[in-house]
């Protein structure tokens, strides 16, 4: 597994895609600076403003872009047949690709947290940095992205086209804008979960996350297992 | 009896309702250069993909190094280097980085990269991104990648496709040198008979998914028996004369043909024709080329 990850990291590092991890955090930080937040909830308000563009649109979209990209250089140069004719297990290759996507998302989330803290400190917020609130938000967002990453990796390994998986992702992400406003559907729609999980709340429903335990178990874990199992078994059998 | 490196039995692959590969029994002994020959679409790539575990056989079994590929795939693949169809590469990486990405997976020593780069003469281009490479350079990089793990078995699918004549020559010489220098076994496919003729020691001919010939190249060449062709007037009368004298002659396109005939008998035939006042314009020997044999074997299907 370590060998496969090192090889994957080499391929990823030399492509410029990882630069995308800066885009959304930078944009969100600008918003964090621009919007004025009043005491006593200034940290929470700033984080909420920042989460709006990031969690609602960019984070789900980036999940798709990252997944498509870790497959793109295999599709374009005929890499799959070379890679899968090596003495490596297909299952580990698939896991390594997924870990790469998760790693990129983690980096994005950490930068986002850094941006939020930067905005708050620069604006001289009185209360000290709310580590728990920010931490809950970014890790919750990451966990909520896992089902999306699993689905997008499935689609990206199956289709050699780069645009098709991204189109799927956009089609599922755009309804977020409507869905999150709905009490009824919001907590069931997987693409809305990154936003909902990142949105800070005064009384957190369930210890470590901003979403309820039911949502975490059934919507996030459930859809992750479904998408991951489908993609994984597909990849084990894929003919290249 | 030499050790068998690749052995398949009843290997078949169905796409939809059509068999792209049907009942193929490959037999490749150690140290041979096995030329896998067949026109485009005959099923060479499909067979090779199954040998590498990239596609699943519909039927049949594959043994490589005496191991069942299905059960011990990774063990087998550790000892195999391959290049399937067009070369694989990561365009955004340099030649060296491409090889490094593979070397890590194979656990090969770093020095091996320089060795394979020099074998395929890419040392000077090693620092350039591969997306700027010509097809021939990508092909050579693909061969370097196949050699990286010091394989005992090398599987090369049409490695000279799209190369210029000097590139073809170079790769052919490289292939020919390997069994001698390193004792490796090579399976090399091609749709060009002339190419297989120049490098293979064993030949397997596949057509429409079926193996129609598998033996040493000498056996194939031995089939190229010679014909004596005689041109004369009133060929039909002449032919009847020769038959009446007990010669095994054939009449083809107004010419007389005698196959596998001794010098003594041919002199008699000519004397008899002249005595009976048939004008003998031309006596010539016609050797069947490997192409003719191939056409005979495939029942006239072209493509070579
Ligand atoms: N993935 C596939 N799906 C359907 N048909 C295929 C597939 N791959 C190959 N074929 C068909 O199988 C036959 C053999 O193809 P191939 O093995 O590539 O031939 P060759 O390498 O000898 O030129 C062809 O008719 C081809 O169209
Ligand atoms: Mg082919």
């Amino acid at each position: 597994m370590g060998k496969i990850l090192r090889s994957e990291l080499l391929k990823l590092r030399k492509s410029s895609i990882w630069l995308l991890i800066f885009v959304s955090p930078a944009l969100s930080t600008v918003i964090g600076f621009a919007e004025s937040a009043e005491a006593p909830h200034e940290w929470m308000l700033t984080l909420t403003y920042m989460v709006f563009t990031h969690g609602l649109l960019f984070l789900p979209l980036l999940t798709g872009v990252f997944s498509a990209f870790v497959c793109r250089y295999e599709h374009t140069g005929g890499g799959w047949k070379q890679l899968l004719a090596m003495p490596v297990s297909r299952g580990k290759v698939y896991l390594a690709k997924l870990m790469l996507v998760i790693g990129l998302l983690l980096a994005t989330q950490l930068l986002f947290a850094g941006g939020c803290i930067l905005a708050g400190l620069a604006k001289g917020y009185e209360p000290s940095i709310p580590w728990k609130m920010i931490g809950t938000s970014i890790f919750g967002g990451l966990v909520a992205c896992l089902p999306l990453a699993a689905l997008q990796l499935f689609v990206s390994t199956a289709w050699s086209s780069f645009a098709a998986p991204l189109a799927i992702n956009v089609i599922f992400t755009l309804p977020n804008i409507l869905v999150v406003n709905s009490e009824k559907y919001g907590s069931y729609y997987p693409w809305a979960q990154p936003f909902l999980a990142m949105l800070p709340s005064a009384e957190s429903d369930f210890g470590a996350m901003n979403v309820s335990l039911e949502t975490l178990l059934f919507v996030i874990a459930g859809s992750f297992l479904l998408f991951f199992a489908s993609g994984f078994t597909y990849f084990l059998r894929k003919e290249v | 009896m030499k050790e068998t490196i690749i052995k398949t039995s009843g290997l078949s692959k169905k796409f939809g309702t059509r068999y792209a590969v049907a009942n193929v029994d490959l037999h490749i002994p150690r140290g041979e250069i096995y030329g896998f020959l067949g026109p485009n679409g005959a099923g060479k790539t499909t067979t090779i993909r199954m040998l590498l575990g990239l596609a699943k056989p519909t039927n049949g079994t594959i043994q490589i190094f005496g191991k069942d590929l299905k059960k011990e795939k990774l063990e087998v693949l550790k000892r195999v280097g391959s290049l399937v169809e067009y070369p694989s590469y990561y365009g955004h990486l340099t030649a060296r980085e491409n090889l490094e990405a593979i070397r890590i997976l194979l656990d090969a020593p770093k020095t091996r990269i320089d060795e394979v780069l020099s074998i395929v003469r890419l040392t000077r281009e090693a620092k350039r991104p591969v997306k700027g490479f010509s097809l021939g350079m990508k092909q050579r990089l693909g061969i370097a990648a196949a050699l990286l793990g010091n394989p005992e078995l090398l599987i090369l699918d049409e490695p000279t496709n799209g190369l210029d004549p000097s590139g073809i020559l170079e790769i052919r010489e490289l292939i020919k040198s390997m069994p001698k220098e390193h004792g490796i076994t090579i399976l090399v496919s091609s749709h060009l008979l002339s190419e297989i003729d120049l490098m293979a020691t064993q030949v397997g001919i596949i057509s429409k998914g079926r193996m129609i010939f598998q033996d040493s190249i000498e056996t194939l060449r031995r089939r190229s028996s010679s014909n004596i062709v005689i041109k004369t007037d009133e060929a039909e009368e002449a032919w009847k004369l020769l038959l009446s004298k007990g010669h095994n002659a054939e009449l083809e396109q107004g010419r007389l043909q005698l196959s596998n005939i001794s010098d003594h008998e041919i002199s008699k035939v000519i004397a008899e024709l002249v005595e009976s006042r048939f004008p003998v314009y031309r006596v010539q020997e016609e050797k069947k080329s490997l192409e003719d044999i191939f056409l005979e074997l495939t029942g006239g299907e072209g493509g070579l």
Side-chain angles (χ1 to χ4, degrees):
Chain A
M1 192 73 210
K3 285 186 292 186
I4 302 178
L5 267 178
R6 269 195 296 141
S7 177
E8 288 298 324
L9 276 173
L10 169 69
K11 292 185 246 176
L12 179 68
R13 210 173 58 231
K14 297 284 172 166
S15 76
S16 39
I17 184 60
W18 61 273
L19 291 171
L20 274 180
I21 60 176
F22 294 102
V23 174
S24 183
L27 197 73
S28 308
T29 306
V30 170
I31 293 169
F33 266 108
E35 300 280 349
S36 57
E38 311 265 302
H41 295 302
E42 57 266 63
W43 279 108
M44 190 169 135
L45 279 171
T46 297
L47 180 59
T48 304
Y49 290 135
M50 289 177 64
V51 162
F52 258 90
T53 49
H54 179 70
L56 206 53
L57 287 178
F58 280 106
L59 191 56
L61 290 179
L62 280 174
T63 307
V65 175
F66 291 152
S67 306
F69 246 94
V70 298
C71 296
R72 180 176 155 91
Y73 41 73
E74 309 291 352
H75 285 305
T76 53
W80 289 124
K81 61 186 156 77
Q82 187 176 59
L83 180 58
L84 299 180
M86 296 273 159
V88 293
S89 107
R90 286 190 176 207
K92 287 181 183 169
V93 169
Y94 196 76
L95 283 177
K97 295 277 184 200
L98 185 62
M99 282 162 74
L100 235 49
V101 174
I102 296 173
L104 287 165
L105 289 171
L106 175 64
T108 307
Q109 292 296 78
L110 290 176
L111 287 169
F112 178 87
C116 180
I117 292 168
L118 193 72
L121 292 181
K123 292 171 98 171
Y125 291 162
E126 281 296 309
S128 60
I129 302 169
W131 292 107
K132 182 164 180 297
M133 182 175 77
I134 296 176
T136 305
S137 170
I138 62 164
F139 286 108
L142 181 65
V143 169
C145 277
L146 295 181
L148 280 56
L151 177 70
Q152 288 299 317
L153 193 61
F154 178 14
V155 184
S156 300
T157 46
W159 291 341
S160 54
S161 144
F162 183 63
L166 292 186
I168 295 262
N169 195 32
V170 171
I171 288 167
F172 281 119
T173 302
L174 287 182
N176 270 358
I177 299 164
L178 302 173
V179 170
V180 289
N181 287 319
S182 147
E183 282 283 321
K184 212 157 126 210
Y185 302 112
S187 49
Y188 297 107
Y189 192 62
W191 282 262
Q193 300 315 310
F195 170 76
L196 295 175
M198 287 195 77
L199 204 60
S201 58
E203 2 75 70
S204 199
D205 290 57
F206 153 68
M209 292 255 295
N210 298 323
V211 293
S212 70
L213 182 59
E214 288 80 34
T215 301
L216 178 67
L217 276 184
F218 296 112
V219 181
I220 298 179
S223 57
F224 173 75
L225 281 179
L226 175 70
F227 295 150
F228 177 75
S230 321
F232 191 74
T233 47
Y234 164 79
F235 190 73
L236 290 187
R237 290 170 200 191
K238 180 181 167 70
E239 306 222 319
V240 290
Chain B
M1 192 64 203
K2 270 197 256 179
E3 182 194 351
T4 301
I5 297 295
I6 299 184
K7 185 173 168 52
T8 72
S9 35
L11 189 62
S12 308
K13 179 75 186 178
K14 204 166 159 183
F15 290 119
T17 56
R18 253 189 81 247
Y19 276 96
V21 172
N23 262 314
V24 166
D25 298 335
L26 285 177
H27 176 89
I28 307 183
R30 179 181 286 281
E32 303 284 346
I33 300 178
Y34 184 96
F36 194 28
L37 179 65
N40 287 323
K44 302 181 295 295
T45 301
T46 306
T47 305
I48 287 173
R49 284 166 61 221
M50 290 191 282
L51 292 179
L52 294 169
L54 294 175
K56 262 201 192 63
T58 310
N59 274 309
T61 58
I62 300 171
Q63 289 210 324
I64 301 182
F65 309 122
K67 294 176 194 232
D68 186 347
L69 183 69
K70 217 156 104 190
K71 296 201 189 95
E72 298 177 79
K73 190 168 109 178
L74 298 190
E75 283 307 305
V76 168
L77 291 179
K78 260 185 202 145
R79 300 156 66 185
V80 179
S82 63
L83 173 64
V84 183
E85 228 160 10
Y86 47 91
S88 302
Y89 59 92
Y90 300 111
H92 63 292
L93 303 184
T94 67
R96 181 177 294 278
E97 288 160 352
N98 263 277
L99 294 172
E100 175 65 12
I102 297 165
R103 185 201 68 80
I104 294 173
L105 297 177
L106 294 172
D107 254 340
K110 281 215 180 223
T111 51
R112 184 71 187 146
I113 291 183
D114 293 307
E115 286 171 29
V116 295
L117 279 171
S118 93
I119 291 177
V120 300
R121 300 198 308 99
L122 278 179
T123 308
R124 282 176 50 211
E125 322 289 340
K127 293 206 171 83
R128 275 175 53 193
V130 172
K131 56 174 172 273
F133 276 24
S134 69
L135 180 59
M137 289 161 73
K138 285 176 186 160
Q139 201 87 346
R140 298 213 303 263
L141 178 65
I143 294 180
L147 291 172
L148 202 54
N150 261 318
E152 287 168 59
L153 169 64
L154 199 53
I155 296 182
L156 304 173
D157 188 16
E158 310 230 15
T160 56
N161 227 357
L163 298 190
D164 55 18
S166 73
I168 292 176
L169 184 74
E170 212 170 85
I171 286 185
R172 190 194 301 142
E173 292 309 314
L174 182 65
I175 290 173
K176 277 162 78 173
S177 72
M178 274 184 284
K180 274 187 240 122
E181 289 168 23
H182 311 283
I184 57 187
T185 309
I186 300 177
L187 166 62
V188 55
S189 81
S190 175
H191 63 281
L192 295 171
L193 177 65
S194 52
E195 199 160 287
I196 295 298
D197 192 24
L198 286 170
M199 58 186 169
T201 55
Q202 293 276 313
V203 185
I205 301 180
I206 188 172
S207 167
K208 295 179 184 144
R210 295 183 180 277
M211 283 292 260
I212 51 176
F213 176 89
Q214 178 167 244
D215 212 319
S216 68
I217 188 101
E218 285 84 29
T219 311
L220 184 63
R221 289 203 186 106
R222 228 173 283 135
R223 287 210 183 186
S224 56
S225 56
S226 65
N227 270 343
I228 298 292
V229 177
I230 301 172
K231 201 173 161 205
T232 172
D233 266 348
E234 294 163 54
E236 198 165 339
E237 298 300 309
W239 176 55
K240 284 176 183 155
L241 172 81
L242 292 185
L243 288 183
S244 72
K245 301 265 184 189
H247 299 293
N248 195 7
E250 278 167 62
L251 182 66
E252 256 196 52
Q253 298 165 341
R255 309 182 315 170
L256 301 170
Q257 262 194 34
L258 298 114
S259 55
N260 290 328
I261 185 172
S262 67
D263 288 354
H264 177 69
E265 194 182 351
I266 193 72
S267 76
K268 252 173 76 183
V269 165
I270 292 168
E272 279 157 9
L273 285 175
V274 174
E275 272 164 31
S276 307
R277 306 213 162 263
F278 287 102
V280 176
Y281 299 126
R282 220 165 262 258
V283 179
Q284 66 198 45
E285 183 169 19
E286 278 186 359
K287 250 185 144 45
K288 271 192 274 182
S289 67
L290 286 177
E291 254 86 5
D292 296 333
I293 302 167
F294 183 83
L295 289 177
E296 248 172 56
L297 286 168
T298 57
E301 184 201 3
L304 282 178

